[in-house]
């Protein structure tokens, strides 16, 4: 998989540096690389999740290193990873959670704002649901849980930052986020 990681970094670094539309560029690169990774190996479900991890993690690092908008980059990466996952038969809900979790962990590793990355991940999952005709609530829920799980693994402070960022973002579905954070379901 190291060739995949290098390919993603190279593609995103070169394309994003000269591109005006970071979101579309990141989305296209993520989708294409998830599909290529899964089609090149057997065991779609396990390998599909690993492909998402590799693509999103490498993508977050690459976008960050270019100085391009990490917000747009993460939205595009998550959106593209979910699109690609659906194309190769990987469960979209699982893909959304894995993509969000990986984005938050990578953001922490490179010193980026985990709150902003968590919000961008959920936004990407919501947009991907529209792209692929999936249940927006399910993909949003999976992305929120993935982001929170990753933040909690990083530490208490990161968990708190991610929760606050998700709750304070007007554009996200607060009924879903509130239910997940309080444990009260419908």
């Amino acid at each position: 998989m190291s060739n995949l990681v290098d390919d993603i970094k190279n593609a995103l670094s070169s394309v994003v540096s000269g591109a005006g539309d970071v979101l579309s560029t990141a989305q296209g690169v993520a989708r294409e690389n998830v599909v290529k990774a899964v089609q090149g190996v057997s065991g779609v479900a396990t390998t599909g999740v690993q492909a998402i991890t590799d693509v999103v993690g490498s993508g977050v690092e690459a976008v960050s290193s270019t100085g391009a908008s990490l917000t747009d980059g993460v939205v595009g990466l998550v959106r593209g990873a979910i699109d690609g996952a659906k194309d190769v038969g990987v469960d979209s809900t699982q893909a959304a959670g894995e993509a969000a979790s990986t984005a938050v962990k990578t953001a922490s590793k490179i010193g980026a704002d985990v709150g902003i990355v968590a919000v961008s991940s959920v936004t990407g999952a919501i947009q991907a649901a529209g792209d692929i005709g999936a249940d927006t609530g399910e993909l949003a829920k999976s992305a929120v849980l993935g982001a929170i799980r990753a933040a909690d693994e990083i530490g208490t402070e990161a968990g708190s930052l991610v929760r606050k960022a998700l709750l304070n973002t007007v554009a996200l579905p607060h009924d879903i986020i509130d239910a997940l954070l309080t444990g009260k379901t419908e």
Side-chain angles (χ1 to χ4, degrees), residues 5 21 38 54 68 78-79 99 117 134 141 144 152-153 162 176 182:
V5 173
D21 188 357
V38 172
D54 291 343
V78 170
R79 192 173 172 181
V117 169
K141 176 181 173 182
V144 167
D152 286 345
E153 288 174 15
V162 165
I176 292 170
T182 62

Side-chain angles (χ1 to χ4, degrees), residues 85-98:
K86 181 182 185 289
D87 288 350
V88 293
V90 176
D91 179 71
S92 300
T93 305
Q94 183 181 12
E98 187 62 29

Side-chain angles (χ1 to χ4, degrees), residues 122-123 125-131 133-143 173 176:
V122 175
T123 301
I126 290 168
Q127 291 178 6
D131 294 342
D135 183 324
T136 302
E138 285 302 309
L139 290 191
K141 176 181 173 182
S142 183
I176 292 170

